[in-house]
Amino acid sequence: MNTKLATLAATALLSATLLSGCGSDEPDNNEQQTDTAPSAIQDKLLSQIPAETPYFFASRERLSEEESMALIEKLGTIEEIDSQLAELEQLQATTDEPGMQEFLGIMITVLKAFEDVKTLEDYHQIGLMPNARSAVYGLGLLPAARMELHDEELFRAFFEGLISDMNVELQQATLGDTDYWHTSADEMLQTLIAIRDDQVIIGLLPSTAGETVVEQLFGITPPLVSLLESGEMLHLEQRYHYSPYGSGRISSKGLVSEFISPQHPASQALLQLDETNPADLEACRDDIDRLTSLFPALVMGIHELDSQRIAGSLRLATSSELAADMSSLTATVPGLGSGKGVASLGMALDVQALTSMLQKYSRHVHTTPFTCPELQGINEAWAESGTLTNHPMTTMLSPALHGVNLRIDSLETDQRQPTGTGLIAFSSPNAQSLLSAASMFIPQIASLNLQADGEIKKIQPDLLPPDMPTVHAAMSQEAILLGVGLDKPTELKSELTVEADPRSLMTYGHISSDLYATLAEIGSQLPGAQAPDADELKRLAEVYEKTEFWIGIDAGGIELGMGVELK
């Protein structure tokens, strides 16, 4: 059963990828609609998604068609479509489930048709919009997807024209007043497609699911409480600062409960097709509930979306107790998260707080171990965590080092060995202790006579490697800074007093257009297959002003984010 569930999860993600590739995660612009959020009466997309779905990703609002096309023109779509096709074809070649192979075959045929869709007129001619809202969600465990249309009849004609090119036999059927296509009912899983309510709807269901589930999929029978009525998307946007252009969540508790004790008829039909008895997992229910209480959900969303910047994040939501414990792990590191320079990379970690947290949860697991045979690896992992907390290096550095940030201001390629300028910041609860610890490995450091008053000292050339640019150092009570080749070494003093980033960052990095261009130049000069792809780096330099990523910790859990600024 695990293999089938993994395949279903992959299908849901592939559906999301396809829809984002075809129309982005923004809402649509029908001729009768505006660019604002649809009202509760108008919103036929969110009103057909059940509030109790264990997973979903959807959007409430849309960009204008003009801004969506500007984004498409900046980012390009051909390379993305090619990579998506390669992934779909690889998955189709490796799956042994005929129903899944048919589903992937349909996706591949549709995606290939988008290689010729480049202008707003192209979208409209096939009944689509570049800014159409889309949604991926679960009917129980099974994935379903919806996407808004510009024109039902134009899209119907477009889709019917593709059927002859598919290596899949699609049959037609009617349910009430809804005509739809479906793959063979002889396979375990069946793909169903309908065009209804100005949307295209696709689902992957057990062939034994019955008409009731099909009616739910197509919206013939609306949910008792819809995602729109629940207000959950507004809650996600407000709590996690997402935009209305896309947000969602995967409920670990919901998925586990639906697998062990399925309530939705689609899940019941799926599990009845498999020889595995879900009741066997009841013996592990307490352990599973313990884990899902610690990690109740994955939450995701788009923070910013316009023609100048795109930013989003994936968040592992945690229990309030675990979040409180993890909030002590971050520390203030000068420059971390500032995005200054052509590139930066840094991390902040209070190793002493991490050690205390590991010891706390290790004691919990030792006192109350997991009893489920499949989860014995967790007991073993926590038993081995003592190796980390008792390591001599951890003992020596944890009181002295809380983080490092590397900022590159320039990178030169004129010489055989690239040289550059920048700044390195070391954060510490006691910078003098950090300096003493470093002197054990590099005795010459002691000769700098650094004091915690911010005074800038020039490091003598005989203490540096040959051909090294000028290096200056400065120290405060909580940080040591090294400036390499700085035009104005006096900036070290101001950098010592930079305030902490409000995002409670653990890791942050960024690359600018200038560095992409420099790396492209380096790549073009290097021989062999190990050289970086200079053409791809040049393309990135032309498209992106800056790309950034971060890992943060707050009361909501652990956040992994990424953003791009476009030219």
Side-chain angles (χ1 to χ4, degrees):
M1 189 62 216
N2 292 338
T3 302
K4 291 185 174 66
L5 284 178
T7 303
L8 291 171
T11 304
L13 294 174
L14 285 169
S15 301
T17 302
L18 174 66
L19 291 173
S20 62
C22 297
S24 84
D25 287 314
E26 310 89 53
D28 91 55
N29 257 355
N30 255 343
E31 294 177 351
Q32 295 82 16
Q33 294 175 327
T34 68
D35 289 337
T36 60
S39 70
I41 296 176
Q42 294 173 325
D43 198 336
K44 299 176 182 178
L45 186 88
L46 300 182
S47 63
Q48 297 297 339
I49 301 173
E52 73 274 11
T53 178
Y55 57 91
F56 74 88
F57 189 90
S59 47
R60 288 195 309 109
E61 295 185 12
R62 62 181 69 85
L63 295 179
S64 68
E65 288 190 320
E66 292 74 20
E67 195 159 23
S68 294
M69 288 306 302
L71 265 176
I72 291 171
E73 290 171 5
K74 282 187 175 184
L75 296 175
T77 57
I78 300 302
E79 294 85 356
E80 183 179 355
I81 288 176
D82 288 343
S83 64
Q84 291 175 3
L85 279 172
E87 292 174 4
L88 289 171
E89 290 169 346
Q90 175 66 22
L91 185 57
Q92 186 185 39
T94 55
T95 183
D96 57 359
E97 169 54 53
M100 179 65 71
Q101 290 176 343
E102 292 177 336
F103 173 83
L104 293 170
I106 295 171
M107 299 297 101
I108 290 169
T109 301
V110 173
L111 196 56
K112 284 181 177 179
F114 278 90
E115 293 178 330
D116 298 325
V117 178
K118 299 177 181 178
T119 67
L120 181 59
E121 291 72 22
D122 291 339
Y123 277 95
H124 285 178
Q125 285 175 3
I126 61 175
L128 294 176
M129 299 173 290
N131 62 339
R133 289 188 304 159
S134 61
V136 176
Y137 57 98
L139 292 177
L141 299 171
L142 282 301
R146 293 171 170 266
M147 184 173 71
E148 296 178 316
L149 298 174
H150 172 71
D151 186 289
E152 277 193 11
E153 295 310 313
L154 288 176
F155 182 79
R156 187 183 302 275
F158 163 71
F159 185 75
E160 288 176 341
L162 296 179
I163 292 177
S164 60
D165 296 330
M166 296 180 185
N167 294 323
V168 177
E169 181 182 351
L170 282 180
Q171 303 172 23
Q172 287 188 288
T174 301
L175 185 60
D177 62 352
T178 301
D179 297 326
Y180 66 98
W181 295 271
H182 65 86
T183 55
S184 173
D186 294 334
E187 307 299 345
M188 188 183 78
L189 295 175
Q190 190 176 24
T191 302
L192 300 96
I193 304 168
I195 299 171
R196 175 187 166 91
D197 295 329
D198 298 315
Q199 301 167 55
V200 57
I201 306 157
I202 183 169
L204 187 65
L205 299 176
S207 55
T208 58
E211 288 189 355
T212 300
V213 178
V214 178
E215 289 175 347
Q216 291 179 14
L217 170 64
F218 294 150
I220 299 171
T221 302
L224 293 177
V225 180
S226 71
L227 186 62
L228 179 68
E229 294 168 322
S230 73
E232 183 175 1
M233 293 191 68
L234 281 171
H235 171 73
L236 291 177
E237 292 167 17
Q238 292 167 0
R239 181 173 183 184
Y240 301 115
H241 307 292
Y242 293 140
S243 74
Y245 299 127
S247 62
R249 58 106 178 107
I250 302 173
S251 169
S252 60
K253 288 185 177 181
L255 284 174
V256 169
S257 295
E258 189 67 13
F259 178 59
I260 295 178
S261 302
Q263 301 299 309
H264 196 283
S267 304
Q268 294 171 353
L270 175 66
L271 296 178
Q272 287 170 1
L273 291 172
D274 190 74
E275 67 280 0
T276 303
N277 182 5
D280 292 344
L281 290 177
E282 283 294 346
C284 298
R285 187 62 185 259
D286 290 343
D287 284 350
I288 294 173
D289 287 346
R290 184 176 170 187
L291 288 175
T292 57
S293 295
L294 285 173
F295 306 104
L298 276 176
V299 181
M300 62 219 75
I302 298 171
H303 297 289
E304 301 174 72
L305 182 65
D306 56 44
S307 59
Q308 299 301 314
R309 179 171 170 79
I310 305 172
S313 67
L314 172 70
R315 178 183 292 271
L316 177 61
T318 65
S319 67
S320 57
E321 180 184 2
L322 181 56
D325 289 336
M326 291 193 303
S327 65
S328 66
L329 301 182
T330 59
T332 300
V333 179
L336 184 68
S338 68
K340 292 182 179 179
V342 298
S344 69
L345 179 63
M347 70 173 296
L349 180 62
D350 186 329
V351 180
Q352 283 186 308
L354 174 62
T355 299
S356 298
M357 191 184 81
L358 290 176
Q359 290 172 343
K360 172 184 174 180
Y361 286 93
S362 179
R363 287 193 298 269
H364 284 182
V365 175
H366 178 73
T367 303
T368 311
F370 289 90
T371 58
C372 182
E374 288 79 6
L375 299 178
Q376 291 306 300
I378 297 178
N379 296 333
E380 296 169 3
W382 279 109
E384 294 172 359
S385 66
T387 304
L388 172 64
T389 58
N390 296 322
H391 193 281
M393 188 63 71
T394 303
T395 304
M396 182 178 67
L397 289 180
S398 61
L401 185 63
H402 274 183
V404 179
N405 187 61
L406 169 65
R407 187 187 86 196
I408 301 174
D409 292 332
S410 67
L411 187 63
E412 304 294 335
T413 60
D414 296 337
Q415 305 175 18
R416 293 178 63 86
Q417 292 294 329
T419 61
T421 62
L423 187 148
I424 307 173
F426 300 92
S427 172
S428 171
N430 186 329
Q432 191 62 55
S433 296
L434 177 61
L435 193 65
S436 299
S439 299
M440 296 173 60
F441 299 94
I442 310 175
Q444 297 91 331
I445 290 179
S447 65
L448 296 177
N449 194 29
L450 285 175
Q451 301 297 319
D453 56 4
E455 181 183 356
I456 300 170
K457 299 289 186 71
K458 181 180 179 180
I459 299 179
Q460 296 303 312
D462 59 340
L463 298 179
L464 301 172
D467 301 322
M468 183 81 174
T470 303
V471 179
H472 293 80
M475 185 172 76
S476 68
Q477 293 286 353
E478 298 179 338
I480 300 173
L481 267 62
L482 299 177
V484 180
L486 298 180
D487 292 333
K488 297 180 180 180
T490 52
E491 76 170 282
L492 284 178
K493 195 158 189 175
S494 62
E495 290 291 338
L496 281 170
T497 59
V498 172
E499 295 183 358
D501 191 288
R503 291 174 288 183
S504 298
L505 295 172
M506 181 175 283
T507 301
Y508 176 89
H510 87 277
I511 300 178
S512 71
S513 172
D514 291 339
L515 186 61
Y516 280 129
T518 300
L519 293 175
E521 183 178 347
I522 294 174
S524 64
Q525 298 172 2
L526 295 177
Q530 295 184 348
D533 188 335
D535 291 337
E536 176 62 15
L537 289 169
K538 288 178 182 177
R539 187 187 73 82
L540 294 174
E542 293 170 356
V543 173
Y544 299 119
E545 190 66 44
K546 181 169 76 173
T547 63
E548 59 180 346
F549 72 91
W550 65 89
I551 301 175
I553 297 177
D554 58 23
I558 306 171
E559 180 187 53
L560 289 78
M562 183 172 182
V564 295
E565 293 180 7
L566 304 173
K567 288 190 171 181

